[in-house]
Amino acid sequence: MSTVAPAVPSYASGTSDVPLLGDTIGDNFDRTVAAFGDREALADCATGKRWTYTELAVDVDAVAFGLLGLGVGKGDRVGIWSPNCAEWTLVQYATAKIGAILVNINPSYRVHELKFVLNQAGIRTLVAAPSFKTSDYAGMIEEVRPECPALEDVILMGHEEWTALASAAVDAERLAEIGRTLTADDPINIQYTSGTTGFPKGATLSHHNILNNGFFVGELCNYTEADRICIPVPFYHCFGMVMGNLAATSHGSCMVIPAPAFDPEATLKAVADERCTSLYGVPTMFIAELSHPKFDDYDLSSLRTGIMAGSPCPVEVMKQVIDRMGMTEVSICYGMTETSPVSTQTRADDSVERRVSTVGRVGPHIEVKIVDPETGLTVPRGVPGEFCTRGYSVMLGYWEQPDKTAEAIDRARWMHTGDLAIMDSDGYLNITGRIKDMVIRGGENIYPREIEEFLYTHPDILDAQVIGVPDERYGEELMVWIRMREGAEPLTAEAVREFATGKLAHYKIPRYVHVVDEFPMTVTGKIRKVEMRAKSVELLGLEDAANIKHA
């Protein structure tokens, strides 16, 4: 009598001989300083300033004491609103040392988004750049300040208040005493993810979450104190502050900031001048660097590794990064803010085919499974389903939103990502789509509902449905289908942009506008966004972009 072998389930756990770190970010940082004090820790290319680990520790402690002097204590929320700069890094480690919770604020935010985050997180102290490009941060802060009762202190970088904060006298024994009151499981960071209900949710992360994720991402990149990591990705994302800064400081590596915001030539120059061994980016950044007219002018021979993540990675771009940039050990990572962020990663010893066509295998000390979204049961390998992950990396929850937390994390502590994935027989994963209709534009997670809610405030718009359409540069671009009120003139893309500019972050403003009488609907009355997307590809002639292969 023959029997059929049971199918292998889509489940994998990351084994490792290296144990999880059990310390706080401050203790881990101090350990690195003791081991590698004379080695370079931070280079800020825009200002020309650089720090050894010993010098960085002195400045971090001063900022920590400056915050204590303002009355900031354990559990208080300190906001940071700025492009990438050395001050951002100082505040990141200073808040960790005193147990304050750092709240990352997207530099693209405008007034209504800023006010929401300040109030939702109850930010007590805000450190901000006075301005950057077209953003008048100081002006926007003053505009919302009367409506933010928790906000006591605003520290503008480069102004007297920052100088005072950063030059505070340090009592080393008191700092050590505070350190002994902190635990690795304390919340230390809130990062806002675009909200499906119209407003962002604050993913709350602990020392244990982000220190270990940074450390193990760095382990899989084989980082040592000899590595120099070029970080053009934003610090307000996990990509910059965790995979970049914490991966570096947990290995004694050097953090290199090429520019305040992404600039392809500044990035290439930083790699060449600073002899970087690792380079980070979302696919759009690598595309911009590879296509830059001066690409061949820069010596990138120091590069060994790096990370491409943040949105689907085109296979051809990955191959060029290996061949033309010399990043033979480049890694693809997959994750989300709520998981600190990385859940899967390719390894340096994976075949090129694996590294250009999958998002890798489960990370150390993490579990992943693929489940049927309807039943919650684990599907066999080779069958698509929802990607779920569990382990040290799963956030504590959404800040003061237990209901939203319960929707995302089940009773067994599995984080339900909402992404559709497939696991092959060797445990490698591909991301095949999203259960919900989140759009990932150039590494930015955008929830259409938030933009739709905003567009409903336009007097001539009856209904608006936002979708993602394929884009060769950004992976996806935003398009809105609009139904106009009776008698109103059809809106153009320019008119929508004009209405949204200054109110929505630039990356949330739809590039394409299509005015219709009706939306395609199911028999039960649900709008068929899948059909809208297919029609839009045809309408806009985006077939080539739609056919680009991704991992």
Side-chain angles (χ1 to χ4, degrees):
M1 178 179 156
S2 64
T3 57
V4 178
V8 178
S10 293
Y11 168 88
S13 61
T15 56
S16 177
D17 295 333
V18 181
L20 284 164
L21 302 176
D23 45 6
T24 63
I25 290 167
D27 285 345
N28 182 267
F29 179 72
D30 287 346
R31 194 170 289 115
T32 297
V33 172
F36 305 112
D38 293 338
R39 294 201 69 90
E40 198 159 78
L42 177 63
D44 185 357
C45 297
T47 62
K49 293 180 183 174
R50 50 187 72 237
W51 290 256
T52 63
Y53 267 100
T54 299
E55 291 164 345
L56 188 63
V58 168
D59 285 358
V60 164
D61 288 355
V63 173
F65 252 85
L67 291 168
L68 289 171
L70 293 174
V72 176
K74 180 180 176 180
D76 286 335
R77 273 77 67 205
V78 176
I80 184 152
W81 196 26
S82 157
N84 287 11
C85 58
E87 292 87 344
W88 210 112
T89 304
L90 293 176
V91 173
Q92 177 182 348
Y93 288 88
T95 49
K97 281 211 157 188
I98 62 173
I101 300 173
L102 183 71
V103 184
N104 304 2
I105 304 174
N106 188 326
S108 295
Y109 273 4
R110 289 296 177 262
V111 171
H112 91 284
E113 296 151 317
L114 172 67
K115 184 174 78 172
F116 172 80
V117 168
L118 287 171
N119 285 326
Q120 206 277 330
I123 289 173
R124 182 192 193 282
T125 303
L126 176 61
V127 181
S131 62
F132 182 66
K133 292 186 177 175
T134 59
S135 296
D136 175 11
Y137 296 133
M140 286 188 269
I141 293 165
E142 284 311 303
E143 189 177 333
V144 303
R145 201 167 179 174
E147 300 172 77
C148 301
L151 185 60
E152 293 183 25
D153 294 293
V154 174
I155 313 292
L156 295 178
M157 295 172 184
H159 286 212
E160 285 177 20
E161 58 267 32
W162 171 261
T163 305
L165 183 86
S167 56
V170 175
D171 177 343
E173 183 45 48
R174 188 181 167 206
L175 211 50
E177 200 177 293
I178 291 168
R180 288 191 286 272
T181 70
L182 308 179
T183 78
D185 294 318
D186 292 335
I188 202 64
N189 184 218
I190 298 174
Q191 299 197 31
Y192 279 86
T193 64
S194 293
T196 49
T197 53
F199 283 105
K201 301 188 291 285
T204 307
L205 303 164
S206 67
H207 295 268
H208 194 66
N209 287 148
I210 60 178
L211 175 59
N212 275 292
N213 206 264
F215 174 69
F216 279 102
V217 164
E219 285 288 285
L220 294 184
C221 289
N222 297 311
Y223 287 155
T224 70
E225 69 276 11
D227 280 293
R228 299 175 66 80
I229 307 167
C230 185
I231 311 171
V233 292
F235 287 158
Y236 75 87
H237 267 175
C238 276
F239 203 168
M241 68 164 285
V242 178
M243 297 157 71
N245 291 350
L246 286 169
T249 60
S250 60
H251 289 87
S253 308
C254 180
M255 301 165 278
V256 177
I257 307 172
F262 176 65
D263 177 297
E265 189 172 6
T267 303
L268 294 168
K269 187 176 190 305
V271 170
D273 292 352
E274 298 290 334
R275 306 311 293 151
C276 293
T277 58
S278 177
L279 172 61
Y280 287 6
V282 298
T284 52
M285 292 179 177
F286 284 106
I287 290 166
E289 289 151 15
L290 288 159
S291 62
H292 196 278
K294 292 187 178 176
F295 177 85
D296 292 324
D297 295 354
Y298 293 99
D299 176 7
L300 309 181
S301 60
S302 57
L303 284 174
R304 167 182 69 81
T305 187
I307 294 173
M308 193 188 300
S311 67
C313 303
V315 172
E316 287 309 309
V317 175
M318 190 69 173
K319 286 178 177 171
Q320 283 193 56
V321 165
I322 294 169
D323 296 341
R324 294 180 60 208
M325 300 181 97
M327 292 167 59
T328 53
E329 298 176 32
V330 66
S331 181
I332 281 184
C333 293
Y334 160 78
M336 62 192 305
T337 304
E338 290 89 337
T339 56
S340 302
V342 175
S343 295
T344 71
Q345 186 172 352
T346 59
R347 275 59 162 179
D349 59 358
D350 283 336
S351 68
V352 171
E353 184 54 36
R354 291 279 197 206
R355 285 191 288 139
V356 301
S357 62
T358 76
V359 293
R361 291 175 282 141
V362 64
H365 303 289
I366 292 172
E367 296 173 272
V368 297
K369 66 178 179 178
I370 311 298
V371 304
D372 182 315
E374 297 297 318
T375 65
L377 296 173
T378 304
V379 299
R381 294 199 179 191
V383 175
E386 184 181 15
F387 185 102
C388 298
T389 182
R390 179 168 71 177
Y392 77 82
S393 58
V394 175
M395 67 174 178
L396 299 177
Y398 292 117
W399 184 258
E400 295 191 338
Q401 289 189 292
D403 54 331
K404 298 296 175 194
T405 303
E407 287 173 17
I409 302 172
D410 66 27
R411 285 182 294 179
R413 289 292 297 169
W414 285 99
M415 175 79 205
H416 291 252
T417 67
D419 284 333
L420 292 169
I422 193 165
M423 183 186 292
D424 72 13
S425 56
D426 295 319
Y428 288 84
L429 290 119
N430 278 88
I431 306 301
T432 58
R434 289 182 293 283
I435 294 169
K436 294 176 182 154
D437 55 3
M438 183 178 79
V439 176
I440 304 180
R441 180 192 181 275
E444 294 284 2
N445 291 356
I446 305 169
Y447 287 89
R449 178 73 181 273
E450 183 183 356
I451 301 161
E452 290 161 2
E453 295 278 359
F454 170 75
L455 291 174
Y456 289 149
T457 65
H458 191 292
D460 294 336
I461 292 177
L462 180 65
D463 200 353
Q465 294 294 323
V466 173
I467 56 170
V469 293
D471 184 78
E472 288 186 10
R473 185 177 176 198
Y474 290 108
E476 287 186 290
E477 189 54 275
L478 289 177
M479 179 175 191
V480 60
W481 285 36
I482 290 172
R483 291 172 59 210
M484 306 298 300
R485 294 193 186 280
E486 203 169 324
E489 283 290 316
L491 286 171
T492 61
E494 289 73 22
V496 170
R497 190 175 302 114
E498 189 177 324
F499 177 69
T501 297
K503 297 169 190 161
L504 280 183
H506 68 90
Y507 63 85
K508 296 179 186 173
I509 300 174
R511 180 176 174 186
Y512 304 109
V513 173
H514 181 47
V515 177
V516 294
D517 293 328
E518 296 293 342
F519 300 123
M521 312 277 265
T522 66
V523 287
T524 56
K526 289 183 182 171
I527 291 166
R528 287 185 50 80
K529 286 196 170 182
V530 174
E531 189 179 323
M532 287 167 59
R533 181 182 161 94
K535 283 188 177 175
S536 298
V537 167
E538 200 177 311
L539 193 73
L540 300 170
L542 299 175
E543 290 83 356
D544 287 350
N547 289 329
I548 294 175
K549 285 188 353 189
H550 297 95

